[in-house]
């Protein structure tokens, strides 16, 4: 039986901590003025095309981003911890400069993308990859011939792109992860593909802030 699922995967809008260069992880800061505007523009844009369901990280910045689309479409997001950002433990609430000063060895391994390095009190890239890739495969098995919107985070977008394209977790990223960007992934009979990536044409300015 032929089956095709399309995922519209979105990073949350810009937050106060994004703008200040502060690492968020499982901590949260609200969308700033720019991020709220991005969420509205995203909702207007995606609200004009058909889709079947919304799955959303249960962190506040993702929920804020999903709200305009939920209001426009009448579809209530399903909240899940599976779509949370990487748990970044002791780095959370600090800037990169502060992390380098306080935790030099851990921050070096983090910066070098060591897949097996577990940030103290946090997760490794491998653990995030396993969590996110398992969840999107479960969604593909659950939603045949459907279009699913996912509202999530930069780290999750990073590992999903690597999952689909079979890119090594330690390899330097050569693709963008923009706030409020639209990224389309397809799964047809178990074969995954990137359909579109890094689309910010619906936004009013280049939303290039990136935690990672």
């Amino acid at each position: 039986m032929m089956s095709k699922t399309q995922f519209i995967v979105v990073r949350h809008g810009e937050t106060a901590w994004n703008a200040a260069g502060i690492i968020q992880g499982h901590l949260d800061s609200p969308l700033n003025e720019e991020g709220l505007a991005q969420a509205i523009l995203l909702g207007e844009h995606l609200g004009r095309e058909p889709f079947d369901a919304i799955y959303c990280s249960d962190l506040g910045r993702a929920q804020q981003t999903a709200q305009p689309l939920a209001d426009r479409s009448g579809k209530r997001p399903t909240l899940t911890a599976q779509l949370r950002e990487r748990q970044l433990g002791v780095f959370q609430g600090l800037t990169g400069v502060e992390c380098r000063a306080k935790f030099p060895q851990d921050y070096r391994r983090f910066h070098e993308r060591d897949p097996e390095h577990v940030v103290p009190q946090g997760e490794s890239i491998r653990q995030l990859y396993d969590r996110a890739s398992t969840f999107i495969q479960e969604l593909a098995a659950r939603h045949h011939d459907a279009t699913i919107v996912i509202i999530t985070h930069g780290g999750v977008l990073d590992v999903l792109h690597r999952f689909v394209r079979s890119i090594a977790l330690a390899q330097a990223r050569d693709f963008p992860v923009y706030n409020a960007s639209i990224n389309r992934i397809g799964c047809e009979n178990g074969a995954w593909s990137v359909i579109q990536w890094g689309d910010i044409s619906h936004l009013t300015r280049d939303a290039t802030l990136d935690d990672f």
Side-chain angles (χ1 to χ4, degrees):
M1 184 178 182
M2 302 288 285
S3 174
K4 185 174 183 179
T5 307
Q6 183 178 147
F7 296 94
I8 303 172
V9 189
V10 178
R11 184 186 177 197
H12 62 80
E14 182 182 301
T15 71
W17 281 14
N18 285 151
I22 298 172
I23 295 171
Q24 295 181 110
H26 284 195
L27 298 185
D28 229 342
S29 70
L31 299 188
N32 60 16
E33 185 176 350
E34 181 66 26
L36 291 169
Q38 291 170 345
I40 291 169
L41 291 168
L42 177 76
E44 290 175 349
H45 184 80
L46 289 182
R48 291 194 289 267
E49 60 180 273
F51 62 90
D52 299 285
I54 306 172
Y55 286 83
C56 182
S57 161
D58 62 356
L59 295 177
R61 58 194 186 271
Q63 293 190 54
Q64 277 188 288
T65 303
Q67 195 59 55
L69 178 58
D71 291 342
R72 186 181 179 100
S73 67
K75 292 183 170 63
R76 183 176 180 178
T78 298
L79 304 181
T80 173
Q82 296 299 104
L83 291 172
R84 284 185 181 185
E85 182 57 281
R86 180 180 171 188
Q87 167 58 271
L88 289 170
V90 296
F91 293 167
Q92 296 179 164
L94 304 178
T95 66
V97 171
E98 290 170 331
C99 289
R100 187 179 291 111
K102 292 185 175 185
F103 310 102
Q105 296 200 14
D106 284 303
Y107 191 72
R108 176 183 57 79
R109 294 180 69 185
F110 170 77
H111 191 68
E112 291 174 353
R113 296 193 59 91
D114 180 344
E116 314 308 330
H117 173 242
V118 178
V119 175
Q121 302 173 31
E123 287 180 295
S124 68
I125 300 174
R126 179 80 62 194
Q127 289 169 327
L128 173 63
Y129 176 91
D130 289 346
R131 166 161 61 86
S133 62
T134 296
F135 186 69
I136 200 170
Q137 289 177 86
E138 290 172 352
L139 290 183
R142 192 182 310 161
H143 295 281
H144 297 282
D145 301 314
T147 298
I148 307 299
V149 175
I150 291 176
I151 311 292
T152 186
H153 304 268
V156 175
L157 277 173
D158 178 277
V159 296
L160 287 180
H161 190 101
R162 292 168 191 274
F163 163 69
V164 172
R165 293 183 56 206
S166 299
I167 299 173
L169 294 178
Q171 183 174 318
R173 174 150 51 80
D174 61 356
F175 51 90
V177 178
Y178 298 139
N179 285 113
S181 60
I182 293 172
N183 310 275
R184 299 177 192 267
I185 293 171
C187 179
E188 186 167 5
N189 300 319
W192 292 83
S193 63
V194 172
I195 300 167
Q196 179 187 44
W197 196 266
D199 178 18
I200 51 173
S201 61
H202 54 292
L203 302 180
T204 53
R205 72 169 177 86
D206 188 19
T208 55
L209 289 173
D210 186 343
D211 285 344
F212 289 77

